[in-house]
Amino acid sequence: MHPLFSKADGLTGTIIAAAIEVHRDKGPGLVESIYEWCLCRELELQRLTYTNQRMVPISYKGFIKEETLRFDLLVEACVLIEAKAVEKTLPIHKAQLLSYMKLLNVPVGLLINFNESKLTDGVSRLMLPGANQ
């Protein structure tokens, strides 16, 4: 089992509730950056720590490069959030989130599409393979 899985699993409900609060206040149809900013404020109100960019070592066949990864939000170092405001989430959005999760070694990710009438219809929860075993 991933060492941060239990913590991440317990946080997802709180994070989704924070996203619902943002969506309840702002509604659908705005640009992604507004939802991301509001979600950051809501997470602060919930006293959760987050970051939105980090230097990550990228390794490839013995070569290593430090690269700034521009992900949306990493909450409590264990849940990665990809915020969207799109008509429909696509498989590439989930693939991107999973790639970031692998690079950061984060067990759980949430893809949240704020451009839905009912926010829970736009939430997808992803896990690193084997994170819960």
Side-chain angles (χ1 to χ4, degrees), residues 84-90 93 113 115-116:
K84 296 290 182 194
V86 293
E87 184 176 329
K88 180 182 177 188
T89 55
L90 301 173
H93 297 135
N113 183 15
N115 201 31
E116 293 282 349

Side-chain angles (χ1 to χ4, degrees), residues 60-77:
Y60 179 74
K61 296 185 177 183
F63 298 96
I64 297 177
K65 176 185 180 183
E66 289 282 325
E67 185 70 35
T68 301
L69 201 57
R70 289 182 172 88
F71 49 86
D72 288 346
L73 296 169
L74 177 59
V75 180
E76 296 286 322

Side-chain angles (χ1 to χ4, degrees), residues 5-18:
F5 178 77
S6 295
K7 180 179 179 181
D9 192 44
L11 278 175
T12 55
T14 302
I15 295 167
I16 292 169

